[in-house]
Amino acid sequence: DVKVTQSSRYLVKRTGEKVFLECVQDMDHENMFWYRQDPGLGLRLIYFSYDVKMKEKGDIPEGYSVSREKKERFSLILESASTNQTSMYLCASSPAGNRNQPQHFGDGTRLSIL
Amino acid sequence: KNEVEQSPQNLTAQEGEFITINCSYSVGISALHWLQQHPGGGIVSLFMLSSGKKKHGRLIATINIQEKHSSLHITASHPRDSAVYICAVGEAAGNKLTFGGGTRVLVKP
C-alpha cells in the first residue's frame, strides 16, 4: 500500500527556532507537496517539488524553505519560527506525467510555536 | 487562480439520511477531486473525476463541466461518515491543486 510518512504528529517549538519537518514517500513519486491547513482557510500550498533538487513556490512560501536531496524525501524548513506559523502541516506526493492522478497525503504534523 | 467554493460549511444529519455536498469552481480544470479528512488529520482521496459520475459504495460524485459544479452524495449515512469533505480542482496545466474550504459533516446515531 502507498505510504507518505511525516516525521512527527505533534511538535512544539519556540519563536526564533529553526524547525525541520520531514516527509518520506515510498511510491517513487516525482511530485511532492507541502501544505498548511488553517481553520476557515483550507489547505494552502507552501512549496512543491517535481524532481530531486527542483522546487517551486506555492501560494504562501514566505518564511519557509524546502529541500529535496533524494527522491523519496521532502523537507520543509521554518528558518526562524514565528507564532503565525502555528498550524497543521500536510505533505503529499503524486506521480509525474499524467496530471489526473490523486495526491497521497501523510497524516499531518500539528505544529505549535510558542 | 481558481476559486473553489463549497457548501454547506457544516452539516448535521441523522443516521440513514441522504447527504449532498456541493462544490463550484471558477476556471477550467483538468480534474476534480473529493477528499475525506477524519479527526486526527489524515486525508484520503475518495474520487477523481473529469466528467460524468463515479460511485464507490455509498458515495456518489458527479460533475457538470459546463456549469463548473460538482456534488458529493452520501446515501444511507452512518456515524462513521462523520468527517471533513474537501473538494479540490486540478489546474488545466501542471500538477497543483486548489482546495475548497471543506464541509464538516456530523452524522448522529
Side-chain angles (χ1 to χ4, degrees):
Chain A
D1 199 9
V2 297
K3 191 73 176 170
V4 177
T5 303
Q6 293 184 228
S7 52
S8 306
R9 290 299 305 273
Y10 300 93
L11 204 54
V12 180
K13 296 291 183 180
R14 295 206 173 273
T15 303
E17 281 193 69
K18 190 168 185 175
V19 181
F20 293 84
L21 302 183
E22 306 287 346
C23 175
V24 177
Q25 51 97 1
D26 64 0
M27 297 164 281
D28 203 36
H29 285 169
E30 287 75 16
N31 299 322
M32 295 188 75
F33 307 83
W34 273 108
Y35 300 96
R36 64 177 283 176
Q37 184 180 30
D38 300 288
L41 297 176
L43 278 86
R44 293 178 292 165
L45 180 65
I46 304 171
Y47 267 97
F48 82 99
S49 169
Y50 50 89
D51 203 349
V52 174
K53 297 192 186 295
M54 306 303 287
K55 61 186 179 185
E56 274 195 29
K57 293 180 180 179
D59 299 318
I60 49 164
E62 297 79 18
Y64 303 94
S65 62
V66 289
S67 172
R68 183 126 182 243
E69 296 296 318
K70 292 186 178 181
K71 191 175 185 180
E72 66 270 20
R73 185 180 297 270
F74 191 34
S75 303
L76 180 70
I77 304 155
L78 285 67
E79 298 289 346
S80 177
S82 63
T83 54
N84 63 13
Q85 292 177 309
T86 291
S87 185
M88 168 73 101
Y89 290 86
L90 288 145
C91 175
S93 72
S94 71
N98 186 347
R99 280 180 233 106
N100 295 326
Q101 290 284 349
Q103 293 183 11
H104 299 269
F105 287 83
D107 287 336
T109 296
R110 194 167 293 281
L111 175 65
S112 296
I113 306 296
L114 305 178
Chain B
K1 183 170 164 42
N2 221 333
E3 301 293 331
V4 182
E5 298 288 336
Q6 284 185 241
S7 63
Q9 287 188 313
N10 295 282
L11 186 158
T12 300
Q14 288 298 131
E15 183 173 357
E17 287 184 346
F18 182 84
I19 291 171
T20 295
I21 303 167
N22 296 298
C23 175
S24 60
Y25 53 93
S26 58
V27 181
I29 62 172
S30 60
L32 184 141
H33 303 248
W34 281 104
L35 310 166
Q36 181 190 57
Q37 185 175 31
H38 277 287
I43 292 175
V44 295
S45 178
L46 297 174
F47 294 104
M48 184 182 65
L49 63 166
S50 53
S51 64
K53 176 179 170 178
K54 285 191 176 180
K55 185 176 189 290
H56 182 68
R58 294 179 294 104
L59 301 177
I60 303 166
T62 64
I63 188 168
N64 184 317
I65 295 294
Q66 286 72 32
E67 295 187 3
K68 296 187 177 61
H69 180 269
S70 175
S71 294
L72 177 68
H73 306 285
I74 306 174
T75 62
S77 60
H78 190 276
R80 65 174 173 267
D81 298 324
S82 298
V84 175
Y85 292 84
I86 302 168
C87 169
V89 298
E91 59 188 22
N95 296 292
K96 292 187 279 187
L97 297 178
T98 302
F99 295 83
T103 296
R104 187 174 299 275
V105 171
L106 174 64
V107 181
K108 294 184 175 180

